[in-house]
Amino acid sequence: MDFIPLEAKHQQLLSAEQAWHYGIIPKASTNDHLEFFIDEKQSVESTREELELLFGKCIVLIPFSSLLINTSLGKYYRRTNSEHRLPRTVKNENNNDDFLSKLISEAKLIGSSDIHIESYENRSRIRMRIDGKMIERYEIEKTEYPALINKIKIRANLDIAEKRLPQDGRILFNEDEMKFDIRVSVIPTLYGEKIVLRILNKDSSSIEIEELGFSDRQKQDYLEAVRKTSGIILISGPTGSGKTTTLYATLRILNKEESNIITIEDPIEYTLTGINQVQLKEAIGLTFATALRTFLRQDPDIIMLGEIRDGETAQMAIRAALTGHLVLSTIHTNSAWGTISRLLDMGIPPFLVAGTLNLSVSQRLVRVLCPYCKKAIPFNPSLLPTAFNNESVPELISVPVGCSYCFYTGYKGRRAVFEVIPIEREVAIKIKEGDLNVQPLLAESGIQKMADTAFDLFKQGLTTMDEIYPILLNDEF
């Protein structure tokens, strides 16, 4: 057994600070007593006295292996290196008015991107997304669930009486020396409303283009495209693939005193001094297309659109590029080359696409192995998808193990995998002629497919086959 099994309802009995301080893992709880596993090196009697004073209940402590206690603490109770301390959360504290604030603070401090609050027939729970994966953190009493939902709705200025329709709102969190925005989404489900809180990081100071994951050739092509004074740069990928982060890293490079930069976003995820940022408000008619039409009268040099969603927005972006503006935006397609087909499907004439598109980028995020605990094993080439062809197969690969540094997940952080296609003269001619079969031409130009980029990370021992397998299945431009 690598870890002590721990249910969410027992995990929430302790804060991370308490669990590490006393060296204990919850085992069971009743109305009048609590049971904990305790590190065999700890003093049982003195710890029991302190815990009985803290909880006001009879405490039962069971000495257990120090190794298992420490690995379990690392897995279930994440600690932060921040100057902030994780909030103290104990069972039944859900009733307190400050539970929501403590929940949000904890999510921010442990690096969670989303908080999912959801209800089922017999139970309700709270999960957090960390490095792209969901972990269950709290179990809530069914009777307490509606009150928590209403508290969130009130803070997000939503209608607490409306329980049949989806609602969207925002919360400005400004507590415990932390200040950031939260995007709130509410949907009705079979057993009650579900809420997702998206934590938006307002600090853009750490976003550097060199740290995103571009290869040398990709970074060169990308920087050459963004240094042009007009045209369109489009970044594609699924939700949560880091497209907005790439855009903001680009804006940091372009943000100079002599340039007028305007953005229209939904939502504004980062704030940048020197850039005029506009929040989308479709309810009052402020859409991407209408905002872009107004932007052209604001004497801009660079325009950033959060997303090109429809033909009207695409037409306005093309118009802005034709009139001497550099336009940055995202679009939902499966590949960098698929962006061209998407624009044509939106009704943009091929000659306009060829004449205005500077660069098409596609990206995905993969988890990176923890450098402190990964281990090398022989590689079995039969694990590769049959659709993926690559002659260079490694003899050894790295696999996750788990340690206190990575909270026993085996992974530490994520990295973007890119596919970058500059629209050069030969490619533009093909687009203008309506010939979209350019795979041989791209291969001759040395453009690297996303599948090959991901496989290079795998060969370097930075990630695993499980992480890149979906990318390898699409081994084409």
Side-chain angles (χ1 to χ4, degrees):
M1 185 172 60
D2 296 327
F3 307 104
I4 299 172
L6 181 59
E7 298 180 20
K9 65 180 180 180
H10 292 145
Q11 181 183 350
Q12 67 197 57
L13 290 170
L14 296 172
S15 70
E17 186 179 357
Q18 292 168 336
W20 282 96
H21 176 72
Y22 293 111
I24 55 177
I25 297 291
K27 179 179 182 295
S29 65
T30 65
N31 291 332
D32 57 359
H33 85 279
L34 300 173
E35 292 184 25
F36 297 95
F37 293 111
I38 184 171
D39 187 336
E40 58 190 0
K41 297 178 181 178
Q42 292 274 50
S43 169
V44 173
E45 290 303 321
S46 61
T47 303
R48 179 188 294 114
E49 291 176 3
E50 287 190 35
L51 292 176
E52 286 181 346
L53 287 173
L54 177 64
F55 290 99
K57 294 184 178 182
C58 178
I59 301 296
V60 177
L61 298 178
I62 304 169
F64 213 70
S65 160
S66 296
L67 177 62
L68 275 180
I69 290 290
N70 286 328
T71 56
S72 300
L73 286 172
K75 179 178 177 64
Y76 298 116
Y77 292 100
R78 294 192 172 215
R79 292 191 293 186
T80 175
N81 293 326
S82 166
E83 61 183 3
H84 300 281
R85 290 186 173 184
L86 286 173
R88 176 181 177 273
T89 49
V90 296
K91 189 174 175 62
N92 294 328
E93 198 171 19
N94 304 357
N95 293 319
N96 297 344
D97 290 336
D98 60 352
F99 173 73
L100 179 58
S101 297
K102 292 182 177 181
L103 172 68
I104 295 171
S105 297
E106 177 183 2
K108 177 69 173 178
L109 291 173
I110 66 175
S112 173
S113 60
D114 299 87
I115 305 171
H116 291 243
I117 304 170
E118 47 204 0
S119 181
Y120 303 97
E121 183 177 7
N122 298 316
R123 64 190 293 257
S124 301
R125 66 178 180 179
I126 296 175
R127 294 188 293 170
M128 296 181 183
R129 186 178 296 278
I130 302 174
D131 287 340
K133 301 297 181 181
M134 302 282 281
I135 61 168
E136 185 171 333
R137 182 63 184 92
Y138 292 100
E139 184 172 298
I140 307 172
E141 297 292 337
K142 288 284 289 183
T143 55
E144 299 168 355
Y145 188 81
L148 178 59
I149 296 296
N150 285 339
K151 289 173 187 173
I152 296 173
K153 283 185 171 182
I154 290 170
R155 293 190 65 165
N157 294 316
L158 299 178
D159 184 0
I160 63 173
E162 180 56 74
K163 303 181 184 298
R164 302 166 300 169
L165 296 174
Q167 297 187 71
D168 294 302
R170 292 175 72 89
I171 295 174
L172 174 60
F173 188 82
N174 187 8
E175 299 177 23
D176 298 327
E177 299 181 0
M178 292 186 288
K179 184 176 181 180
F180 53 90
D181 284 328
I182 301 169
R183 186 173 62 188
V184 181
S185 175
V186 185
I187 61 169
T189 66
L190 182 60
Y191 297 107
E193 293 174 289
K194 171 178 178 174
I195 289 185
V196 175
L197 307 177
R198 164 64 60 88
I199 298 173
L200 306 177
N201 184 9
K202 302 188 72 172
D203 180 18
S204 62
S205 60
S206 61
I207 306 175
E208 298 290 345
I209 201 82
E210 290 79 11
E211 300 174 359
L212 294 180
F214 285 116
S215 68
D216 292 340
R217 167 68 186 276
Q218 290 172 340
K219 185 170 69 172
Q220 178 184 345
D221 289 338
Y222 190 80
L223 292 178
E224 286 181 0
V226 302
R227 289 192 179 106
K228 295 181 179 180
T229 57
S230 64
I232 302 176
I233 295 171
L234 291 179
I235 302 176
S236 66
T239 301
S241 59
K243 302 186 297 296
T244 303
T245 300
T246 302
L247 282 179
Y248 276 102
T250 308
L251 289 178
R252 288 197 69 207
I253 296 175
L254 299 172
N255 187 14
K256 299 177 181 178
E257 184 180 353
E258 60 266 23
S259 297
N260 178 24
I261 304 176
I262 306 179
T263 73
I264 174 71
E265 307 168 60
D266 182 31
I268 297 174
E269 297 195 23
Y270 302 89
T271 55
L272 285 170
T273 302
I275 293 178
N276 305 286
Q277 297 175 264
V278 178
Q279 170 66 49
L280 186 78
K281 295 179 182 177
E282 292 185 335
I284 60 173
L286 182 58
T287 63
F288 284 119
T290 56
L292 186 51
R293 189 176 293 109
T294 303
F295 284 0
L296 296 178
R297 296 192 288 271
Q298 284 280 322
D299 185 32
D301 298 295
I302 300 164
I303 298 172
M304 194 271 269
L305 292 172
E307 182 183 348
I308 292 180
R309 296 177 179 174
D310 50 47
E312 183 183 8
T313 306
Q315 292 279 4
M316 291 302 302
I318 293 289
R319 176 184 167 188
L322 286 172
T323 52
H325 305 89
L326 181 64
V327 180
L328 311 174
S329 188
T330 69
I331 191 168
H332 282 290
T333 60
N334 291 326
S335 65
W337 188 247
T339 296
I340 286 83
S341 300
R342 181 81 175 109
L343 291 173
L344 297 177
D345 291 341
M346 287 180 172
I348 308 299
F351 73 93
L352 285 181
V353 176
T356 57
L357 189 61
N358 293 345
L359 187 84
S360 179
V361 178
S362 182
Q363 69 180 80
R364 303 289 189 277
L365 288 179
V366 297
R367 289 190 295 170
V368 177
L369 283 166
C370 173
Y372 295 97
C373 63
K374 65 181 180 181
K375 70 175 182 179
I377 64 170
F379 178 56
N380 180 4
S382 65
L383 297 176
L384 290 170
T386 55
F388 178 71
N389 297 311
N390 193 298
E391 298 178 357
S392 176
V393 178
E395 294 183 3
L396 296 175
I397 62 169
S398 296
V399 294
V401 177
C403 65
S404 59
Y405 182 74
C406 62
F407 305 109
Y408 295 91
T409 63
Y411 297 91
K412 188 66 176 178
R414 291 187 291 176
R415 178 169 172 169
V417 178
F418 292 95
E419 183 175 277
V420 179
I421 301 179
I423 309 303
E424 298 174 337
R425 184 173 180 274
E426 295 81 2
V427 177
I429 291 173
K430 288 278 192 181
I431 296 173
K432 191 180 297 184
E433 294 174 348
D435 182 6
L436 299 185
N437 184 24
V438 297
Q439 283 78 3
L441 180 60
L442 296 177
E444 289 175 10
S445 301
I447 304 300
Q448 194 174 33
K449 296 179 291 185
M450 182 180 289
D452 290 333
T453 305
F455 195 64
D456 284 346
L457 288 181
F458 174 67
K459 289 192 295 183
Q460 295 168 26
L462 296 177
T463 190
T464 63
M465 178 58 63
D466 288 342
E467 288 294 305
I468 68 168
Y469 196 88
I471 300 175
L472 302 186
L473 289 175
N474 190 28
D475 183 25
E476 59 183 16
F477 286 107

